[in-house]
Amino acid sequence: MRTVIAGGHGQIALRLERLLAARGDEVAGIIRKAEQADALREAGAEPVVLDLESASVDEVAERLRGADAAVFAAGAGPGSGATRKDTVDKAAAVLFADAAVQAGVRRFVIVSSMGADPRHQGDEIFDVYLRAKGEADAYVRGLDALDWTILRPGQLTDDAGTGLVRLEAHTGRGPIPRDDVAAVLAELVDTPATAGLTLELISGPAPVSVAVKSVAGN
């Protein structure tokens, strides 16, 4: 199985790349800076240098062609301003989804955020972020050519993963280690029966594989 990940140098993406490579999958990560390539190679991923803020749909589709799944895990980051929330968290997600459609990659997983809502009110940076993520999610939901799953983690931590999660349509707020987010993404990529679901994720009582199987087909 070949998976292409947007935001390939991100903290969750690097963890996901290691997991996919370790199970024998072929994985590529789209990165903005060539100097990030070594980190991807160490994770077992093929680095693809492409700036999603300036690339065309055709250029991105070319990098996606032949993939079995696409994962959008890019983000403007906590230090970025409102403009980049729109150009990365929204526009780059829309671009990546359109490119997946053009390349014929049906399986599409997007890492969103708990509270993402296109109607979210407010002018603070985090308000803009939640609105941008919500608008991206809404766009992806409207693409019949994609078997999409939207994952909305709670508060991300760098604690060691436990492999125990709560994955449901609505979990309520709570923390979740990035290790466990990556583990859930690896399972979701391989579980097309979760297509059409928007799922919240926090730490909880269920092993990752059990949690994913329990929502599959719902």
Side-chain angles (χ1 to χ4, degrees):
M1 184 167 182
R2 176 174 172 82
T3 300
V4 178
I5 302 168
H9 191 254
Q11 295 185 68
I12 290 171
L14 285 168
R15 289 167 166 85
L16 175 58
E17 287 154 6
R18 289 188 196 101
L19 291 174
L20 294 177
R23 75 184 190 191
D25 286 5
E26 191 179 327
V27 56
I30 295 176
I31 53 176
R32 198 159 51 92
K33 301 174 182 175
E35 56 265 32
Q36 298 169 333
D38 284 347
L40 271 73
R41 292 189 189 98
E42 287 169 16
E46 169 199 342
V48 177
V49 180
L50 186 68
D51 187 349
L52 294 177
E53 288 179 89
S54 59
S56 68
V57 173
D58 288 347
E59 288 173 318
V60 182
E62 188 58 38
R63 307 315 198 279
L64 280 166
R65 214 155 262 124
D68 301 292
V71 178
F72 186 83
S80 59
T83 300
R84 293 201 72 229
K85 305 303 183 194
D86 273 329
T87 58
V88 179
D89 294 296
K90 177 186 174 183
V94 167
L95 174 76
F96 197 61
D98 285 343
V101 172
Q102 185 169 314
V105 182
R106 289 203 63 93
R107 188 72 183 116
F108 192 90
V109 180
I110 183 168
V111 182
S112 183
S113 175
M114 199 172 286
D117 184 347
R119 297 172 301 279
H120 183 84
Q121 299 298 306
D123 299 315
E124 298 296 322
I125 295 292
F126 194 63
D127 297 323
V128 176
Y129 168 75
L130 291 177
R131 199 157 49 243
K133 294 296 280 185
E135 288 169 347
D137 293 353
Y139 185 84
V140 168
R141 285 194 191 104
L143 295 175
D144 293 337
L146 295 181
D147 295 328
W148 54 264
T149 303
I150 296 169
L151 183 66
R152 293 179 165 175
Q155 179 194 349
L156 298 171
T157 75
D158 288 324
D159 297 339
T162 65
L164 298 172
V165 301
R166 184 176 174 195
L167 180 71
E168 297 168 14
H170 301 289
T171 61
R173 296 193 175 273
I176 179 78
R178 288 179 173 86
D179 286 349
D180 290 334
V181 177
V184 169
L185 286 169
E187 198 79 21
L188 288 175
V189 161
D190 213 21
T191 312
T194 59
L197 299 180
T198 300
L199 300 166
E200 294 183 350
L201 174 67
I202 58 174
S203 293
V208 166
S209 59
V210 173
V212 172
K213 284 186 178 71
S214 72
V215 297
N218 290 346

